[in-house]
Amino acid sequence: MRRYFTTPIYYVSDVPHLGHAYTTVVADAFARYHRLRGEATRYLTGTDDHGQKIERMAAAHGKSPKGYADEIAAAYRTTWQTFAIANDDFIRTTDPDHEAVVQELWRVWEKNGDVYLGHYEGWYCVACEQYYTEKELAVGSVCPVHQKPVEKIKEESFFFRLSAYQSKLQEFYDRVLRETGRPFVEPQIRMNEVRAFVDAGLNDFSASRTNFSWGVPVPDHPGHVVYVWLDALTNYYSATRREGLQGFWDDAVDIVHFMGKEITRFHAVYWPAMLMAAGLRPPSKIVAHGWWTVDGEKMSKTRGNVVDPNRLAADVGADAFRYFVLREVPLGADGDFSHQALLTRYNAELANDLGNLLNRTKALAERTPIEIRTSVPVADLGAAQAVREVDEAMAAYAPSKALEAIWKLVRRGNEFIDQASPWKKEGQALVEILWTVFNLCRVVSHLVEPFMPEKAREMRLQLGVASARFEWNDPWRFDGSFAKDKGAPLFPRIDEERKKELLSRWMPTPTPTPTLTPLVSYDEFSRFDFRVGEIVAAERIPKKDKLLKLSVDLGSERRQVVAGIAVAYGPEELLGRRVIFLANLKPAKIGGVVSEGMILAAGDPDVVALSALDRSCPPGTKVR
Ligand code: ME8
């Protein structure tokens, strides 16, 4: 069967982090696994270049949206190279052929009455690129996801007639379950959520924007750009319209979209409806994985705990990262990324179990001056069983289980060496033992390939079987011979000293609590005029790495302020934030720029968090 795997196309708002690397590694493991089994497989990833968020972010960096998107998209491409991601294509929503397909679908939807013109009024969160109803907002009328102020927007807007697709979607979900025995959305818990959402009745959603222009123009309606999610979701289809792939979407292809659970609804409800409305088949499967926290905390720039996969790759190797994230958390469950756990698994499972198996095998061969070639049938130590278990696990979207099955085989190999005592044997008995452990290593090298492609290749090089063919359904069979030259260890052990060094580099150091300063009277305190201020503009100050120039709205006036927060915050994150502002601080020049006031922030000497209000109140409101 032909297979088509995709990741979300990532926003070009920032460079890739742990979460993006995770999804991309997961999808890569599936694509590589199916290729290994000889199935025709395509794998697509890319970037989501459009939308108001990107437009604003680019402006805050003083760049054009396209120029800014180009830089971040390049960082994505480089990162995927580092992680040996074997994608066949990299799509960007600014690719002209993608834009043309979005417009083509739009025309079909409009002709059939699936998009129509109306008015939209609602609360918009730019960070989510999503409208919220009054009810959905969090305490203080802020975005429930970002806790940032939302914007009230009323605009002429096209709508997508999602309401017409309720029963079609319900029937579709039922059909997938009936025909495949598995839910359309995996894991089941996410299917249940989607089903409940659809069963509750679907509303038409806003399908175009008029308040900004960074998007695909709506055909024949100047001033409207296509809603960024309609544009983005279409990527999976538009990529199959590229040269040589005509008809790909119509074929009996297994189309599987991987993503984080937070965007399941877009993929499991909007996307199939969009396709149905265009007379195209829906995808086969949505796989929604869980959410990573880091050392028990939400990952955020403000906390300074965003995990940079490139740094980990440089320190312990890209394949060790791939192995860890795939093995540590069952796909679908939320997970905590613990740096300590990464090192523990590295030493126990990669250096010890797998690395040692190969080292011992090579050492045995070195001490034994015979050619390791045999046609004598010897027991496969469970290799065929491991292959079956990997198949079952991958069919159930459980890569962590596949790795467990492979590790059972690796440990069996180590036990076999212990029990067979090759150092006491000679002649044919010795050849058989050696052949068995070599062959086991060879099988393992193929089984780990989807998960650790570079180390798998290195293993085969060291075994002298780099170009040997592997029969997935007859894994133990091998007619060639093995090489005996000893290579470098696959996974050098990380000793205590290095462990400490790595952990101190990876984990942000907590700031010590300063001792409290002497008491002040209320009179002294009341001389400070604190106000609610809204940050309405933010930019970097050339050659001053720590400083940002802000414009703060105090209701009756605007102030220019220089704030030493550039290490913790990028300018784009600050727009629209309401902070506590000291309004009667004497103006002073900071970094050569006049500053008229001060925003309050936590952290000394380095800022770690900005002050905030837990409910929305207008700029200028007195704070006491
Ligand atoms: O949502 N844990 O892009 P995005 C696990 N452009 N996965 C995480 C994660 C975390 N903490 N953080 C991010 C978008 N991810 C849209 C998608 S698709 C047509 C458009 C991963 O840059 C996860 O895959 O915000 C999540 O779904 C994705 O990054 C969101 O990436």
Side-chain angles (χ1 to χ4, degrees):
M1 187 193 274
R2 286 169 93 187
R3 312 262 179 184
Y4 183 31
F5 296 107
T6 69
T7 70
I9 47 170
Y10 306 109
Y11 286 128
V12 289
S13 35
D14 214 336
V15 294
H17 62 52
L18 160 68
H20 308 115
Y22 177 59
T23 320
T24 312
V25 162
V26 166
D28 189 62
F30 278 88
R32 284 177 176 276
Y33 162 76
H34 285 284
R35 277 186 202 132
L36 197 57
R37 290 176 34 130
E39 295 168 71
T41 301
R42 273 194 84 72
Y43 175 22
L44 176 74
T45 187
T47 53
D48 193 350
D49 293 354
H50 287 137
Q52 195 170 10
K53 177 161 59 177
I54 311 298
E55 191 182 74
R56 287 188 179 179
M57 192 86 83
H61 281 87
K63 299 199 167 127
S64 71
K66 182 63 166 63
Y68 185 71
D70 286 349
E71 280 176 26
I72 305 282
Y76 269 94
R77 283 184 202 265
T78 319
T79 303
W80 300 157
Q81 269 167 17
T82 301
F83 283 88
I85 302 299
N87 52 307
D88 297 286
D89 193 3
F90 187 98
I91 193 166
R92 296 181 53 186
T93 49
T94 41
D95 292 341
D97 59 347
H98 163 79
E99 295 191 354
V101 174
V102 172
Q103 292 187 328
E104 177 190 310
L105 292 192
W106 183 280
R107 286 200 168 93
V108 179
W109 295 329
E110 197 179 357
K111 190 166 107 260
N112 296 342
D114 281 306
V115 293
Y116 62 90
L117 199 56
H119 277 91
Y120 196 91
E121 193 171 348
W123 298 96
Y124 197 71
C125 170
V126 177
C128 298
E129 296 284 10
Q130 193 179 335
Y131 274 110
Y132 287 99
T133 61
E134 193 87 42
K135 258 197 343 230
E136 287 169 326
L137 295 179
V139 181
S141 299
V142 293
C143 161
V145 177
H146 295 89
Q147 307 293 324
K148 283 192 198 172
V150 286
E151 297 172 24
K152 181 103 183 224
I153 292 180
K154 179 168 184 191
E155 56 180 350
E156 185 187 71
S157 167
F158 279 94
F159 285 84
F160 184 90
R161 205 179 293 282
L162 189 65
S163 56
Y165 287 87
Q166 183 182 19
S167 60
K168 290 184 184 117
L169 286 167
Q170 289 164 329
E171 281 159 25
F172 167 65
Y173 303 148
D174 290 343
R175 178 155 58 82
V176 173
L177 182 61
R178 210 171 44 243
E179 287 176 1
T180 68
R182 298 193 68 101
F184 170 58
V185 184
E186 307 252 9
Q188 182 70 44
I189 178 175
R190 302 275 97 85
M191 180 75 247
N192 298 348
E193 287 167 2
V194 164
R195 186 73 204 216
F197 176 74
V198 174
D199 290 351
L202 295 171
N203 295 322
D204 296 350
F205 65 87
S206 170
S208 73
R209 296 283 183 269
T210 52
N211 60 330
F212 69 97
S213 61
W214 181 234
V216 179
V218 168
D220 311 324
H221 294 278
H224 285 265
V225 292
V226 176
Y227 175 42
V228 66
W229 271 101
L230 287 187
D231 169 6
L233 287 161
T234 302
N235 91 86
Y236 305 126
Y237 169 67
S238 62
T240 69
R241 294 281 301 275
R242 290 184 164 169
E243 198 158 344
L245 295 172
Q246 273 76 11
F248 193 88
W249 195 269
D250 303 322
D251 282 345
V253 179
D254 194 41
I255 302 174
V256 179
H257 301 309
F258 288 98
M259 73 209 61
K261 64 181 181 183
E262 86 290 2
I263 54 176
T264 313
R265 190 181 292 175
F266 287 107
H267 285 79
V269 182
Y270 287 31
W271 177 227
M274 286 161 59
L275 286 163
M276 288 173 185
L280 294 164
R281 57 156 291 187
S284 317
K285 173 85 63 193
I286 304 298
V287 183
H289 64 66
W291 206 244
W292 284 98
T293 51
V294 175
D295 294 317
E297 294 201 53
K298 190 169 176 260
M299 190 163 41
S300 82
K301 254 192 169 169
T302 319
R303 285 199 175 90
N305 66 348
V306 176
V307 174
D308 172 6
N310 288 297
R311 186 161 68 171
L312 294 177
D315 287 336
V316 293
D319 275 353
F321 173 89
R322 289 177 62 117
Y323 173 80
F324 178 72
V325 292
L326 288 164
R327 176 71 184 77
E328 177 75 355
V329 176
L331 187 61
D334 290 337
D336 184 47
F337 188 94
S338 144
H339 290 88
Q340 181 73 51
L342 167 66
L343 295 178
T344 305
R345 273 198 195 276
Y346 178 98
N347 272 343
E349 291 156 29
L350 296 178
N352 246 12
D353 293 341
L354 180 58
N356 263 353
L357 176 66
L358 186 68
N359 285 350
R360 294 172 82 192
T361 304
K362 303 282 303 181
L364 279 178
E366 263 199 344
R367 290 210 309 263
T368 319
I370 49 168
E371 202 198 353
I372 312 147
R373 173 193 270 280
T374 186
S375 51
V376 187
V378 285
D380 84 346
L381 295 184
Q385 172 69 18
V387 167
R388 275 196 297 276
E389 284 175 19
V390 168
D391 283 341
E392 268 169 37
M394 295 305 268
Y397 297 97
S400 63
K401 283 210 174 121
L403 284 168
E404 276 174 39
I406 300 169
W407 253 249
K408 232 167 45 187
L409 186 64
V410 168
R411 293 193 183 114
R412 185 109 21 94
N414 278 317
E415 283 158 21
F416 174 79
I417 300 179
D418 295 341
Q419 286 157 10
S421 331
W423 42 90
K424 291 188 199 151
K425 304 273 167 61
E426 52 190 44
Q428 182 60 23
L430 178 60
V431 173
E432 279 180 22
I433 293 171
L434 284 180
W435 190 87
T436 306
V437 288
F438 263 88
N439 204 33
L440 186 88
C441 284
R442 181 189 63 85
V443 172
V444 168
S445 81
H446 288 288
L447 294 188
V448 296
E449 162 118 22
F451 312 98
M452 297 192 288
E454 297 296 333
K455 293 293 174 183
R457 209 174 48 94
E458 213 174 302
M459 265 183 99
R460 284 197 292 278
L461 273 176
Q462 292 196 17
L463 294 167
V465 294
S467 52
R469 271 196 32 196
F470 181 63
E471 282 297 328
W472 187 263
N473 292 318
D474 193 3
W476 197 243
R477 177 159 163 188
F478 181 65
D479 304 321
S481 58
F482 294 100
K484 288 197 197 173
D485 40 287
K486 196 164 165 65
L490 270 193
F491 297 100
R493 233 192 124 69
I494 297 175
D495 62 23
E496 283 307 314
E497 204 173 310
R498 170 105 173 115
K499 230 188 218 174
K500 275 202 205 111
E501 181 207 326
L502 288 175
L503 288 175
S504 71
R505 263 201 286 140
W506 290 345
M507 292 163 74
T509 38
T511 34
T513 324
T515 45
L516 295 174
T517 40
L519 300 179
V520 294
S521 69
Y522 183 77
D523 279 352
E524 284 170 298
F525 170 73
S526 61
R527 291 171 51 210
F528 294 89
D529 191 353
F530 293 111
R531 300 294 173 121
V532 173
E534 179 172 324
I535 303 175
V536 290
E539 60 185 271
R540 294 187 192 280
I541 300 178
K543 300 205 185 94
K544 303 281 176 211
D545 289 350
K546 292 198 168 171
L547 301 182
L548 291 182
K549 188 167 94 181
L550 311 176
S551 174
V552 177
D553 183 4
L554 296 180
S556 54
E557 58 178 306
R558 283 192 178 182
R559 295 282 184 84
Q560 171 174 296
V561 185
V562 177
I565 56 173
V567 175
Y569 291 87
E572 66 286 347
E573 294 175 84
L574 297 171
L575 299 181
R577 270 195 207 243
R578 293 195 183 158
V579 292
I580 299 176
F581 186 77
L582 177 56
N584 62 340
L585 187 69
K586 282 193 187 139
K589 263 197 172 176
I590 306 175
V593 181
V594 177
S595 180
E596 313 157 312
M598 191 174 98
I599 60 175
L600 299 197
D604 187 26
D606 294 326
V607 166
V608 291
L610 284 184
S611 58
L613 298 136
D614 76 341
R615 289 194 184 167
S616 185
C617 52
T621 308
K622 176 103 181 121
V623 177
R624 349 177 262 139

